[in-house]
Amino acid sequence: DKLEGGNLSQTKERFDVVKELEQVMLGFDSPRLQLTPSQEVVWVSADRQLVSVVLKNLIENALKYSPKDSRVQLSVQRLPWREGEGVCVQVSNLPGDAGWPDAQRLFSKYYRSAGSHRSTGSGLGLHLSKQMALYLGGDVRYVPFDDCVRFEFWLPV
């Protein structure tokens, strides 16, 4: 409610997104997570806790909704974004038993695809992640490919 009302407080700090992603990955302790090595440090000025929540949600969903023996590919790239520079964290996975998400309803509050009901969840994770990213001045996008489900988390640098 605070997030949707614009009343959530932010504590901005400067940190390296790659290092933050590596810390989040350690919390999952999963050999399925594969981070493409980044040659550069990517600094952002943002609320580290909110960024971490978005990263955790995207990774958790990828692990939950992909085949159990498949990899979840992660990458961080510094790219042009809007009027300036941005950082894009990509989380890609093969579609699992739940199938492909419905791009039209994906970020709606309480939405869960028909095939996802075999797993626990409230249907709030992607909705909240999108709202948090927007609150941080960024975005979360669904960018499907022929062979994988991909989410991109954008932040200004």
Side-chain angles (χ1 to χ4, degrees):
D1 289 340
K2 285 183 179 182
L3 180 62
E4 289 178 352
N7 299 324
L8 187 66
S9 63
Q10 280 192 63
T11 305
K12 287 190 174 186
E13 63 180 289
R14 192 167 186 259
F15 61 94
D16 177 8
V17 175
V18 176
K19 294 291 182 204
E20 187 63 25
L21 178 58
E22 289 171 345
Q23 286 300 308
V24 169
M25 289 171 63
L26 286 174
F28 285 98
D29 190 30
S30 174
R32 295 178 53 207
L33 297 175
Q34 183 174 9
L35 176 61
T36 302
S38 178
Q39 301 302 321
E40 64 179 317
V41 175
V42 183
W43 296 100
V44 296
S45 181
D47 187 301
R48 185 189 299 253
Q49 185 175 356
L50 293 178
V51 170
S52 180
V53 168
V54 174
L55 293 172
K56 285 176 186 173
N57 186 322
L58 295 176
I59 292 170
E60 181 179 15
N61 281 356
L63 288 168
K64 187 189 303 186
Y65 296 117
S66 61
K68 301 299 179 208
D69 60 346
S70 66
R71 293 256 184 227
V72 172
Q73 186 65 43
L74 304 151
S75 68
V76 180
Q77 295 178 296
R78 188 180 176 123
L79 297 167
W81 189 67
R82 293 188 182 160
E83 303 86 41
E85 289 288 313
V87 61
C88 177
V89 179
Q90 296 178 340
V91 180
S92 305
N93 59 275
L94 296 173
D97 292 338
W100 296 87
D102 179 346
Q104 301 302 315
R105 300 177 55 209
L106 190 58
F107 296 106
S108 300
K109 192 184 260 188
Y110 306 120
Y111 168 72
R112 297 191 71 214
S113 69
S116 70
H117 294 285
R118 285 171 250 161
S119 301
T120 59
S122 64
L124 284 173
L126 286 175
H127 171 74
L128 290 173
S129 292
K130 175 86 166 178
Q131 296 306 311
M132 284 182 205
L134 292 171
Y135 189 69
L136 292 164
D139 201 0
V140 172
R141 300 177 190 163
Y142 172 54
V143 185
F145 285 83
D146 289 341
D147 61 343
C148 72
V149 173
R150 176 179 288 168
F151 285 91
E152 295 180 346
F153 176 27
W154 285 86
L155 284 171
V157 293

